[in-house]
Amino acid sequence: MAKRAYSPKEIAAIRIKELPLQGKWEAAFGRPGLYETWFIAGASASGKSSFVMQFAKMLCGIGSVLYLSLEEGVGLSFQQRLKRFKMGEVQGRFRVVVDDNIENLKERLKRPKSPSFVIVDSFQYAGWDYESTKALVEQFPKKSFIFISQEDKGRPMGKPAVRLKYMAGVKVRTIGFRAYCQGRFSGDAASYYTIWEEGAIRVWNNL
């Protein structure tokens, strides 16, 4: 049986919660839906890890965050990043796991008061295929998934990551300590979020 077709008026009447971004976050990324899927990619040393941690801290002001640190674990660089961005200030809403597979994550998200935002760092280290990842997102429509991706020659590494990028509603690429929105919600294609002011000045002044 064919699914129903919506009129423009019916679509306009659908109430969709927005992610309440403000200030420089809203300027760079607009107001996407609260439950959108994010895809964040960037080359090594572009500021991606720092951006993700800043993003996680901002999200803690909206809801609880689960960070799957699959690539780094809780090693020294991760510890230093937590300290640099003062993540202790949001520890009541920020939790880190290092060994969850996709089935364990599903069980975690089924629990009462499970996190609102799930950061998977990185998609390549998780080793999930596209279909399983798509099914995970569809199973939990009231969660926001943020996938971090490695790059190879300016593209997401691996075919599953390329497909996941197209599925995501908000796509972000870090370049020279700036995070550019390539998704559907930013009104200005040239807008960006500055990850590290001094580093960005150095990079962009030398281009």
Side-chain angles (χ1 to χ4, degrees):
M1 182 181 294
K3 295 183 179 180
R4 64 166 295 185
Y6 291 90
S7 70
K9 185 176 181 180
E10 289 173 322
I11 294 173
I14 298 173
R15 302 191 70 176
I16 300 173
K17 290 185 178 180
E18 293 182 342
L19 185 65
L21 299 182
Q22 298 179 354
K24 58 186 180 180
W25 292 100
E26 183 179 9
F29 305 110
R31 281 286 186 102
L34 179 60
Y35 308 121
E36 276 292 346
T37 297
W38 290 62
F39 185 91
I40 301 172
S44 177
S46 65
K48 179 177 60 180
S49 295
S50 292
F51 171 73
V52 173
M53 195 62 72
Q54 291 177 55
F55 186 50
K57 187 173 185 180
M58 183 276 296
L59 290 176
C60 286
I62 300 170
S64 56
V65 175
L66 178 67
Y67 195 118
L68 275 65
S69 184
L70 306 178
E71 185 168 331
E72 284 189 280
V74 288
L76 182 59
S77 63
F78 192 81
Q79 292 176 351
Q80 290 173 339
R81 204 172 305 121
L82 291 178
K83 183 177 180 180
R84 185 183 317 132
F85 296 110
K86 302 179 181 179
M87 296 303 290
E89 296 175 351
V90 294
Q91 68 173 16
R93 288 194 165 194
F94 183 75
R95 289 290 182 269
V96 179
V97 295
V98 298
D99 58 357
D100 264 16
N101 59 37
I102 201 165
E103 294 305 321
N104 288 344
L105 177 59
K106 288 179 182 178
E107 290 304 313
R108 194 182 294 274
L109 296 180
K110 289 176 183 176
R111 298 173 188 169
K113 298 182 180 179
S114 59
S116 304
F117 303 97
V118 180
I119 299 174
V120 181
D121 188 4
S122 66
F123 180 63
Q124 285 77 13
Y125 261 73
W128 304 342
D129 59 39
Y130 172 77
E131 295 300 336
S132 297
T133 306
K134 183 172 180 286
L136 170 70
V137 173
E138 291 174 347
Q139 183 176 346
F140 298 96
K142 295 299 181 68
K143 307 290 184 186
S144 180
F145 292 88
I146 298 104
F147 295 99
I148 316 307
S149 176
Q150 299 172 353
E151 279 194 348
D152 180 30
K153 298 178 181 178
R155 288 172 54 84
M157 187 181 295
K159 290 183 179 179
V162 173
R163 295 184 70 188
L164 182 60
K165 178 181 178 181
Y166 282 102
M167 184 188 83
V170 186
K171 310 166 201 354
V172 179
R173 186 159 187 252
T174 57
I175 308 170
F177 301 105
R178 292 176 178 175
Y180 289 86
C181 183
Q182 301 173 320
R184 305 167 185 151
F185 299 95
S186 177
D188 182 1
S191 63
Y192 56 84
Y193 174 92
T194 300
I195 303 164
W196 178 35
E197 188 78 40
E198 183 180 338
I201 290 172
R202 290 177 187 169
V203 171
W204 294 96
N205 281 353
N206 290 330
L207 290 180

